[in-house]
Amino acid sequence: MKKHWRGCLFSIFSIILGLSITGCTPSATSSAPSASSSSASNAHAVVQKSAHWSYEGDEGPEHWGELEKDFVACGHGQEQSPINIEHSHLKDSHTQQPLQVHYSTTKLSILNNGHTIQVNAASPSNDIVVNGTKFTLKQFHFHHPSEHQIDGKNAEMELHFVHQSDSGSTAVLGVLIQKGKENQAFSRIWSKLPKDTSQEANLEGEINLATLLPKDLHSVRYNGSLTTPPCTEHVNWTVLEQPIEMSADQINQFAAIFPDNHRPVQQLGTRELEADK
Ligand SMILES: [Zn+2]
């Protein structure tokens, strides 16, 4: 209770001081980090001073690295995300364990943080296991068009499930979204998309998060970064090979709020892309 109030007060002060909730950060707004958080989780702090970054013009992705001292990785990082996933660069891994996803029926809250629509998971009972490490789901959010490319092509949208391990490491599960059939699994979320920047609001009922994923969980893994400032590195990326579908109407509803909220692909450099087959 005490922690909850501290979180609330922090949020209220944040609003008064004109701070805003950042986009691709791991933690849900309902669990503000305490002052004793590790440096890793501070780097992904939930509520940060509002640096005016955007997806176009002088504050667009090409300039993120110059906007704030803390954003230097956006301009000079060596392991940045997103990337173009070229099938010719994929190495089949015989050592990596298959991705494990343990998603269940969960209460959710939704907000428009000014950079995306973010959905926070209230329950800590959703997790993924990547190479033996458990990462707990904090939130998921959307990009239009996709951030990752497959063989040089963007998908219509991309869904990012953001997780954090007990030690503060971040793992993001990326799911590409193609235009196709209406996706009923998202209908409750889509009926509540906040058009303007908003506070967190509870979604009625519960949603089985497993229904948001494709059937086939084969994936590509690489070491990358957050795709929004401060572009923090050492993010464990898993991008599913099988996309999900949404109807043109569903995609248009999101695009009406965020016509373009994607960061362009970054250099792969010396990194390796591993397929877990
Ligand atoms: Zn994202």
Side-chain angles (χ1 to χ4, degrees):
M1 194 63 188
K2 200 174 167 188
K3 193 170 181 189
H4 175 72
W5 270 104
R6 200 163 57 205
C8 286
L9 284 171
F10 189 41
S11 299
I12 292 162
F13 278 122
S14 300
I15 294 157
I16 293 166
L17 294 170
L19 308 184
S20 76
I21 300 150
T22 58
C24 289
T25 53
S27 302
T29 53
S30 54
S31 56
S34 67
S36 61
S37 293
S38 68
S39 58
S41 53
N42 282 341
H44 310 145
V46 181
V47 179
Q48 297 183 334
K49 183 171 173 291
S50 177
H52 296 281
W53 62 270
S54 73
Y55 285 100
E56 59 180 1
D58 292 345
E59 295 170 343
E62 304 77 38
H63 301 288
W64 287 351
E66 307 147 20
L67 296 177
E68 288 265 331
K69 245 195 307 187
D70 290 350
F71 295 178
V72 67
C74 301
H76 297 285
Q78 297 299 305
E79 298 199 333
Q80 290 288 294
S81 295
I83 55 162
N84 173 24
I85 297 170
E86 287 278 358
H87 274 95
S88 58
H89 289 160
L90 277 184
K91 280 178 50 178
D92 281 359
S93 171
H94 301 289
T95 53
Q96 298 208 97
Q97 298 155 12
L99 171 72
Q100 293 177 44
V101 181
H102 308 125
Y103 284 177
S104 56
T105 303
T106 304
K107 273 193 164 307
L108 300 168
S109 58
I110 190 167
L111 70 151
N112 175 334
N113 64 23
H115 302 296
T116 187
I117 303 291
Q118 181 176 315
V119 182
N120 295 330
S123 158
S125 62
N126 300 286
D127 62 72
I128 59 174
V129 179
V130 185
N131 292 335
T133 302
K134 185 176 108 171
F135 295 87
T136 302
L137 178 69
K138 299 295 179 183
Q139 49 102 336
F140 56 94
H141 61 265
F142 304 86
H143 297 274
H144 171 265
S146 76
E147 298 207 299
H148 286 93
Q149 293 180 332
I150 305 292
D151 294 331
K153 289 203 181 82
N154 289 83
E156 297 279 346
M157 287 183 65
E158 187 167 338
L159 168 54
H160 287 162
F161 292 92
V162 184
H163 310 74
Q164 205 162 41
S165 73
D166 287 345
S167 64
S169 312
T170 301
V172 186
L173 176 62
V175 183
L176 297 167
I177 304 175
Q178 282 182 343
K179 196 186 291 181
K181 281 189 292 207
E182 186 183 344
N183 195 325
Q184 298 282 352
F186 289 88
S187 54
R188 191 146 5 123
I189 296 170
W190 248 237
S191 70
K192 300 287 181 191
L193 292 180
K195 290 186 176 56
D196 300 307
T197 305
S198 69
Q199 289 298 296
E200 194 177 358
N202 290 331
L203 280 175
E204 270 177 48
E206 298 186 326
I207 292 178
N208 182 357
L209 299 182
T211 63
L212 306 183
L213 296 172
K215 282 198 179 72
D216 186 332
L217 298 181
H218 278 113
S219 65
V220 175
R221 305 199 199 156
Y222 76 97
N223 296 320
S225 72
L226 300 181
T227 66
T228 56
C231 308
T232 313
E233 297 192 330
H234 306 295
V235 171
N236 195 317
W237 270 95
T238 301
V239 180
L240 296 187
E241 294 213 51
Q242 186 177 38
I244 57 170
E245 290 188 353
M246 278 193 188
S247 67
D249 269 1
Q250 286 178 308
I251 293 165
N252 290 340
Q253 276 184 59
F254 186 89
I257 305 171
F258 292 103
D260 184 347
N261 67 339
H262 89 293
R263 184 189 196 193
V265 291
Q266 307 293 304
Q267 292 296 325
L268 180 63
T270 56
R271 287 177 286 178
E272 291 191 339
L273 294 175
E274 295 205 49
D276 58 356
K277 286 178 181 169

